[in-house]
Amino acid sequence: MMLEIYDEAESNLDVTLIQNVFEEYKKHFSLPSNISVELTIVDEDTIKEVNKQFRGIDSVTDVLSFPSLEVKLPFVAQDYPMDIDPSSGEITLGEIMLCYSRMAEQSVEYGHSQERESCYLVLHGLLHLLGFDHIEQEEKEKMREQEETILGKLGIGR
């Protein structure tokens, strides 16, 4: 249903574009309309601290994901009866934290726009919430394929 965005870094990212990525992601995976995700855009100090606290890695990273559920695809809302918020009717997939300055640096590094990089990183985080990963090469290829397919549908290529 919603992607709640908290811009603690005052980044002025294109929220509409990020919402479009979320909508295309929901459509791509046939997710129900009552799905919610929290996205917080933060500075380097914040993401470094969280990365150290939760992953034991004392460095700045671009995006972190904190799944609320262990998702099985295809996603069927009835499989998560205890995870439906009684007041809102929403099922929260989890939270994503995006480091604005790292995203901006990477957009230059990879030679594409901040819009493209921010959409890619948000989608990357969203895929982690569905259990996608990139530790093993085979998993990485599946995740990249999903990223390119979804961004491609939105006309957000490399």
Side-chain angles (χ1 to χ4, degrees):
M1 178 135 82
M2 66 180 349
L3 175 66
E4 198 68 44
I5 300 174
Y6 302 97
D7 192 354
E8 293 179 3
E10 299 176 9
S11 67
N12 299 318
L13 284 180
D14 187 337
V15 174
T16 304
L17 197 54
I18 291 171
Q19 290 283 2
N20 290 345
V21 169
F22 182 62
E23 292 305 317
E24 191 59 46
Y25 157 85
K26 287 191 328 186
K27 190 164 46 168
H28 181 78
F29 289 104
S30 303
L31 299 175
S33 62
N34 63 332
I35 287 297
S36 75
V37 171
E38 242 179 56
L39 167 65
T40 307
I41 303 163
V42 298
D43 60 21
E44 289 185 5
D45 291 341
T46 303
I47 206 155
K48 182 178 179 179
E49 186 179 309
V50 173
N51 201 19
K52 183 177 180 180
Q53 182 181 352
F54 289 94
R55 297 179 63 224
I57 300 172
D58 189 14
S59 65
V60 173
T61 190
D62 50 10
V63 67
L64 292 171
S65 297
F66 300 96
S68 298
L69 306 172
E70 195 169 314
V71 174
K72 183 174 81 49
L73 292 173
F75 190 96
V76 179
Q78 291 81 351
D79 291 345
Y80 307 91
M82 303 308 291
D83 299 298
I84 298 172
D85 182 318
S87 62
S88 67
E90 293 178 355
I91 300 173
T92 301
L93 287 182
E95 298 175 36
I96 300 168
M97 190 172 276
L98 171 74
C99 179
Y100 176 72
S101 60
R102 189 70 197 109
M103 176 280 304
E105 289 168 11
Q106 286 176 187
S107 72
V108 172
E109 201 176 302
Y110 300 134
H112 49 243
S113 69
Q114 286 190 14
E115 288 78 14
R116 196 268 180 211
E117 187 66 11
S118 62
C119 288
Y120 169 79
L121 291 174
V122 168
L123 179 57
H124 185 84
L126 288 167
L127 289 171
H128 276 306
L129 298 183
L130 291 180
F132 285 88
D133 214 334
H134 44 82
I135 295 168
E136 302 294 325
Q137 186 59 35
E138 189 179 323
E139 292 176 329
K140 183 177 184 176
E141 288 170 12
K142 286 180 185 172
M143 191 169 186
R144 293 289 174 266
E145 185 182 312
Q146 297 298 329
E147 291 163 348
E148 293 306 321
T149 299
I150 294 168
L151 291 176
K153 287 179 183 175
L154 292 165
I156 305 170
R158 289 181 186 260

